[in-house]
Amino acid sequence: MSNDRLIRAEHFVWATARVLEQRRFQYLFQNADPDGVLAALASYETPDGGYGYALEPDGRGPVSQPLHVDFALRVLDDIGVITPATADRICGYLDGVSRADGGLPNVHPNIRDYPRAPWWELDESASGSLIPTANIAGLLHHNGIRHPWLDRATQFCWAAIDAIEQTHPYVIDNCIAFLDQVPDRERAEKTADRLGTLVRDNGLVALTPDDPDYDRPAGYAAGEDHYPYDYAATPESLARRWFSDAEFDQALDHLAATQAEDGGWSVSWLMWTPAVEPEWRGWATVRALRTLRSFNRL
């Protein structure tokens, strides 16, 4: 990936992205201090220990949501500052909204009165969801956190992942994030191999644009495809072994080629209101640059 591409991406970030993504870009690609990222993230904190205020752009309003906490932990993991004190505050919130089985709701009902994407369906079931429980648990494990909530969530994730027979790509994303970091490595590798077979056998990955073998799940937007790098964002991910070198190189070529003329990347799901598009595109641009760099394409 040429330096010109990075320069154009930087211009897009400054012209369009939220302050949070601007600060993340500075930290990740310009050696800036992480304090700027922390300051930007702090504006999304809520009094109950969680995060709100459309941190994850598809859920608007001031109330805490597990998906916002998931987003916050991704940002904190980027800069390596998920400290025990921060984790204790966040896990206190997570403990208060978890289901009896140890899992989190995908969408907590307290967002009922606020704008949200149509797929942010209120989750009033008695059972937890792997989205976002598995990703949150994986991020906490990655940072060496120990907490009773994480113990219960880990048990939930193992049971829920073992029960998967049919699923869709976003669930697999969360599962692999958990399996990449959970301490039981032997079990994680065996489970990841099983999920990889499920992904390949059920057409849950697009190896090329318009891949005829990709079986886009019901409810996904046209073009809302999952590529190998969506499962394996780094070479170390257990999902990387699901794809040959040629398949992965082809996918990375596609990722680089989808940089728009304005320098940014887009997301493939539906933009349900104009406000979320620039917010998501800033996130997608930073994510694409990180992925390309991790595979020595930047």
Side-chain angles (χ1 to χ4, degrees):
M1 190 174 179
S2 69
N3 189 52
D4 176 66
R5 287 184 182 269
L6 182 58
I7 291 171
R8 290 194 294 116
E10 179 184 4
H11 178 80
F12 173 82
V13 167
W14 287 120
T16 304
R18 298 186 295 186
V19 172
L20 177 61
E21 274 68 51
Q22 292 174 351
R23 293 289 202 173
R24 293 178 63 212
F25 179 88
Q26 284 186 297
Y27 172 79
L28 291 167
F29 300 102
Q30 296 180 334
N31 299 314
D33 192 282
D35 288 349
V37 180
L38 290 172
L41 184 62
S43 65
Y44 296 93
E45 292 181 10
T46 51
D48 57 7
Y51 292 84
Y53 302 99
L55 177 55
E56 203 273 30
D58 286 337
R60 319 303 283 187
V63 293
S64 296
Q65 284 285 313
L67 285 166
H68 293 322
V69 171
D70 182 6
F71 202 109
L73 287 171
R74 293 172 192 246
V75 172
L76 292 170
D77 184 66
D78 270 352
I79 60 178
V81 293
I82 303 181
T83 64
T86 299
D88 190 62
R89 172 178 61 82
I90 290 173
C91 288
Y93 162 75
L94 297 174
D95 190 55
V97 298
S98 290
R99 305 302 196 204
D101 59 9
L104 295 163
N106 186 12
V107 178
H108 192 279
N110 68 354
I111 203 170
R112 185 186 314 275
D113 296 329
Y114 297 98
R116 60 191 185 277
W119 49 88
W120 272 55
E121 298 176 355
L122 301 184
D123 183 353
E124 302 191 64
S125 69
S127 302
S129 169
L130 282 167
I131 304 174
T133 311
N135 195 69
I136 289 175
L139 289 165
L140 293 173
H141 280 304
H142 183 230
N143 287 269
I145 299 302
R146 299 178 63 86
H147 192 277
W149 178 84
L150 182 56
D151 294 338
R152 293 189 296 274
T154 298
Q155 293 176 3
F156 164 81
C157 290
W158 278 128
I161 293 171
D162 286 344
I164 290 175
E165 295 181 359
Q166 291 188 342
T167 188
H168 63 90
Y170 293 118
V171 170
I172 298 294
D173 286 348
N174 277 260
C175 292
I176 200 66
F178 171 78
L179 296 173
D180 277 345
Q181 305 300 338
V182 70
D184 189 341
R185 301 313 303 151
E186 181 177 359
R187 184 177 181 182
E189 292 193 11
K190 290 179 179 178
T191 303
D193 287 345
R194 182 177 70 83
L195 292 184
T197 300
L198 185 152
V199 165
R200 298 302 299 253
D201 289 352
N202 289 274
L204 299 182
V205 62
L207 298 176
T208 61
D210 302 316
D211 184 346
D213 294 325
Y214 179 65
D215 187 11
R216 187 177 299 119
Y220 280 37
E224 191 173 354
D225 303 339
H226 256 63
Y227 290 88
Y229 52 76
D230 290 310
Y231 293 117
T234 68
E236 296 77 27
S237 174
L238 293 174
R240 175 61 185 85
R241 67 179 70 176
W242 300 350
F243 311 105
S244 70
D245 290 347
E247 288 171 338
F248 216 93
D249 284 343
Q250 186 172 239
L252 291 172
D253 288 343
H254 169 73
L255 178 61
T258 53
Q259 184 180 21
E261 286 298 315
D262 62 9
W265 275 262
S266 297
V267 296
S268 57
W269 55 86
L270 178 68
M271 295 293 101
W272 58 280
T273 182
V276 304
E277 184 167 11
E279 296 175 348
W280 273 124
R281 289 197 68 205
W283 172 87
T285 299
V286 173
R287 180 176 184 263
L289 293 172
R290 288 183 67 231
T291 300
L292 291 167
R293 184 173 66 179
S294 72
F295 288 97
N296 297 316
R297 293 294 192 99
L298 182 63

